[in-house]
Amino acid sequence: CLHIDVIKSRPAKCPCCQKSGLRRHGFYYRKADRETGDLNFIPVQRFFCPHCRRTCSMLPECIPPRRWYLWTMQQAVLLLHFSGKSLRAIAQALAPARRTLGRWLLRFQEQFQVHTDVLRTHQPELGRSSGFPDFWRACLEKFSLAQAMHLCHAAGVSIP
């Protein structure tokens, strides 16, 4: 993810007015990884809609929207939590605060049913998993968390 060029594809339609014909409209840089101290910025392509005159952008798959930490960090937190580690122990081992970790887990639990519906359409054998921890363990054996959330986003489901 950290060596991504500006995204070469554009959204099929405007997220605001649902009309096609978006035009490239420059880019901005987004810090990709809060964990490392270096300035590792990724260019994020912006698009302009000539119909509603608004702009939108597409983040690379590896960067979660509205978050400081990458999907890889969140995946590590999920796996450590499912292995029986407490949030306090995970927070001591990794960078995010315990409160942040709790918020991540809560959001995943709140969206559990809609995420399972989408991801089971791509991997029907995930239907054999029951419950939050079992499903996500099985899912993370098939997909990375970034891939799973990309599939959910593409299906129009809110991602945590």
Side-chain angles (χ1 to χ4, degrees), residues 56-159:
C56 64
S57 58
M58 287 182 61
L59 288 174
E61 180 180 291
C62 64
I63 299 178
R66 300 173 302 279
R67 297 270 179 95
W68 279 101
Y69 295 97
L70 297 178
W71 288 120
T72 53
M73 172 65 77
Q74 295 173 62
Q75 180 171 337
V77 168
L78 280 174
L79 292 173
L80 286 170
H81 181 68
F82 296 151
S83 71
K85 300 276 187 208
S86 70
L87 291 181
R88 184 175 189 190
I90 297 170
Q92 289 174 345
L94 303 174
R98 187 182 59 78
R99 187 172 172 198
T100 300
L101 303 179
R103 207 171 38 247
W104 289 353
L105 289 169
L106 180 63
R107 287 180 186 154
F108 274 105
Q109 289 170 345
E110 290 171 348
Q111 294 290 320
F112 174 64
Q113 191 59 51
V114 290
H115 290 158
T116 57
D117 292 345
V118 170
L119 296 171
R120 285 176 177 156
T121 63
H122 294 280
Q123 289 289 329
E125 62 271 10
L126 292 175
R128 293 185 220 135
S129 304
S130 63
F132 180 73
D134 290 337
F135 173 81
W136 277 110
R137 272 193 219 105
C139 183
L140 294 175
E141 289 177 8
K142 304 285 182 192
F143 306 112
S144 70
L145 187 59
Q147 292 167 327
M149 292 297 101
H150 178 73
L151 291 171
C152 290
H153 178 71
V157 170
S158 174
I159 55 177

